[in-house]
């Protein structure tokens, strides 16, 4: 599980950075990737990356400001031409379906794959046997949502040495034990999964926030997250401007990460006044003074989602 940023600028693109979009790569876990927001030129950024639109499974939109959705119609239209034939689901606030329908209808775009659009107002947005996605409303000029992606715990690894001691060889019995089923041995003994399985592998949690001022739902979404992605539109000397524009500063993002007990923080959604990574260094330094495990999002770089031990 890795994050790849396809755009890190706020409001408008610059020569150095594109507007907001990020990919959660889960190729080992489910052979797909998910997209969070889709600012203008996101599909161009994907062409510059190792991502393939044919592997895109889901898109989560945080809010309907243009720098987060103007790339969506083009990407949806192009996906089929890049080998995308499987179902694609878009999740977002009320209004996202109308935006997509009108854009595709007026442009007479033909979608050759199944496209589902799910509008939500927070709560449990998606769940399957491996992962759950929850959402809460944030504090922005329009309804903006954050997403908490929780990977479910996995069974521990089989102890091959102990299995051999019980006379078991690789085969269907291994799978049954891994699934939590007990099996009867030839000597009449019952072998329970706890006899041969190590400790469960704790799932990871990633929190991706839309644009927001500091608010209580940020802390709820980021509670004990392995990785928090938080906007940092301004340095802290412009916190009054951040408040007026319904955004956060780098220090406020770091304070949220510390208060929520997050393990790592990545800052993104930077004002274009900070022209390049050199100009962003002071923003990083002031955030690290509050929360040391802070990084700056850099476009087309991979950030692993690390599995942190409890405590």
């Amino acid at each position: 599980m890795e994050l790849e940023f396809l755009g890190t600028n706020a409001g408008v693109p610059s020569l150095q950075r594109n507007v907001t979009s990020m990919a959660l790569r889960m190729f080992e876990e489910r052979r797909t990737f998910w997209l969070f927001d889709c600012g203008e030129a996101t599909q161009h950024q994907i062409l510059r990356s190792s991502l393939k639109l044919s592997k895109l499974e889901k898109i989560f939109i945080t809010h309907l400001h243009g720098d987060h959705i103007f790339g969506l119609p083009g990407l949806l239209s192009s996906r089929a031409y890049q080998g995308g034939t499987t179902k694609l689901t878009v999740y977002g606030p009320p209004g996202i379906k109308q935006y997509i329908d009108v854009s595709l209808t007026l442009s007479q775009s033909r979608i050759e794959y199944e496209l589902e659009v799910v509008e939500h107002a927070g709560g449990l947005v998606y769940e399957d046997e491996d992962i759950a996605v929850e959402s809460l409303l944030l504090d922005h000029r329009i309804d903006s949502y954050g997403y908490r992606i929780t990977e479910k715990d996995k069974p521990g690894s089989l102890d091959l040495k102990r299995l051999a001691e019980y006379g078991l060889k690789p085969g269907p019995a291994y799978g049954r034990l891994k699934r939590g089923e007990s099996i009867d041995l030839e000597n009449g003994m019952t072998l329970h999964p706890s006899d041969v399985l190590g400790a469960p592998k704790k799932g990871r949690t990633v929190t991706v926030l839309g644009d927001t001022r500091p608010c209580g739902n940020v802390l709820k979404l980021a509670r004990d997250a392995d990785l928090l992605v938080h906007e940092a539109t301004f340095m802290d000397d412009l916190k009054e401007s951040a408040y007026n524009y319904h955004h956060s500063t780098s220090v406020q993002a770091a304070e949220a990460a510390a208060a929520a007990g997050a393990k790592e923080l990545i800052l993104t959604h930077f004002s274009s006044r900070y022209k390049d990574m050199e100009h962003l260094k002071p923003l990083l330094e002031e955030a690290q003074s509050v929360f040391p495990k802070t990084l700056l999002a850099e476009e087309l770089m991979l950030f692993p989602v690390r599995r942190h031990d409890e405590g």
Side-chain angles (χ1 to χ4, degrees), residues 182-202:
S182 298
I183 62 172
D184 294 325
L185 303 178
E186 292 181 357
N187 62 7
M189 177 182 174
T190 298
L191 185 62
H192 302 287
S194 58
D195 298 325
V196 291
L197 280 177
K201 185 180 293 184
K202 185 171 178 55

Side-chain angles (χ1 to χ4, degrees), residues 227-228 230 232 250-251 253-255 257-258 262-268 270 280 283-297 303:
L227 181 61
L228 167 63
H230 197 304
S250 54
V251 168
E255 289 171 343
K263 307 302 187 297
E264 292 185 89
L265 169 66
I266 299 180
L267 303 179
T268 188
F270 309 119
L280 286 171
L283 185 147
L284 174 64
E285 290 168 357
E286 66 178 16
Q288 288 179 333
S289 69
V290 176
F291 189 80
K293 292 188 176 180
T294 301
L295 297 170
L296 295 177
F303 294 83

Side-chain angles (χ1 to χ4, degrees), residues 159-308:
D159 188 329
L160 301 182
K161 183 177 179 181
R162 295 205 68 188
L163 287 166
E165 291 173 355
Y166 286 111
L168 283 177
K169 297 181 179 179
Y174 278 31
R176 291 178 58 192
L177 288 165
K178 190 79 173 177
R179 291 192 298 270
E181 302 174 21
S182 298
I183 62 172
D184 294 325
L185 303 178
E186 292 181 357
N187 62 7
M189 177 182 174
T190 298
L191 185 62
H192 302 287
S194 58
D195 298 325
V196 291
L197 280 177
K201 185 180 293 184
K202 185 171 178 55
R204 291 160 289 185
T205 297
V206 182
T207 299
V208 177
L209 301 180
D211 294 3
T212 187
R213 288 170 174 167
C215 66
N217 279 348
V218 166
L219 303 184
K220 292 178 182 178
L221 288 167
R223 183 69 59 200
D224 299 324
D226 292 286
L227 181 61
L228 167 63
V229 180
H230 197 304
E231 70 128 294
T233 307
F234 300 106
M235 287 185 61
D236 208 53
D237 61 341
L238 293 174
K239 60 185 174 184
E240 184 175 341
S241 293
Y243 182 85
N244 291 336
Y245 288 106
H246 293 77
H247 286 296
S248 296
T249 69
S250 54
V251 168
Q252 288 169 337
E255 289 171 343
K263 307 302 187 297
E264 292 185 89
L265 169 66
I266 299 180
L267 303 179
T268 188
H269 199 269
F270 309 119
S271 167
S272 56
R273 71 178 57 227
Y274 310 112
K275 297 188 182 301
D276 52 31
M277 296 306 292
E278 190 65 29
H279 288 91
L280 286 171
K281 280 185 178 178
L283 185 147
L284 174 64
E285 290 168 357
E286 66 178 16
Q288 288 179 333
S289 69
V290 176
F291 189 80
K293 292 188 176 180
T294 301
L295 297 170
L296 295 177
E298 294 187 52
E299 295 181 22
L300 304 180
M301 283 192 63
L302 297 181
F303 294 83
V305 181
R306 310 177 203 280
R307 183 175 279 106
H308 297 86

Side-chain angles (χ1 to χ4, degrees), residues 56-168:
L56 176 59
E57 181 186 16
K58 297 181 183 298
I59 302 175
F60 296 87
I61 300 298
T62 62
H63 65 293
L64 302 185
H65 276 155
D67 57 321
H68 294 256
I69 63 169
F70 279 170
L72 197 51
L75 182 143
L76 295 177
S77 300
S78 300
R79 182 173 180 261
Y81 296 106
Q82 298 185 34
T85 58
T86 55
K87 178 181 177 180
L88 175 63
T89 306
V90 179
Y91 302 85
I96 189 63
K97 188 176 191 310
Q98 181 185 7
Y99 172 73
I100 292 172
D101 288 346
V102 170
S103 300
L104 297 181
T105 299
L106 292 181
S107 61
Q108 298 187 31
S109 300
R110 296 179 60 187
I111 303 298
E112 305 289 345
Y113 53 87
E114 182 182 356
L115 175 63
E116 180 185 22
V117 181
V118 178
E119 295 187 337
H120 70 83
L124 182 64
V125 174
Y126 174 77
E127 184 174 23
D128 61 24
E129 63 274 11
D130 299 313
I131 204 161
V133 181
E134 302 165 275
S135 182
L136 289 173
L137 183 66
L138 303 174
D139 183 0
H140 194 46
R141 288 193 295 116
I142 64 173
D143 285 357
S144 178
Y145 289 87
Y147 293 98
R148 179 181 174 92
I149 305 96
T150 304
E151 184 183 41
K152 297 183 180 179
D153 295 349
K154 300 290 185 184
S157 301
L158 289 169
D159 188 329
L160 301 182
K161 183 177 179 181
R162 295 205 68 188
L163 287 166
E165 291 173 355
Y166 286 111
L168 283 177

Side-chain angles (χ1 to χ4, degrees), residues 16-34:
Q16 293 78 25
R17 298 190 300 269
N18 198 40
V19 285
T20 298
S21 183
M22 67 196 80
L24 181 61
R25 300 160 52 108
M26 295 180 286
F27 295 128
E28 289 186 9
E29 294 82 6
R30 49 200 299 143
R31 299 181 181 178
T32 59
F33 74 95
W34 293 356

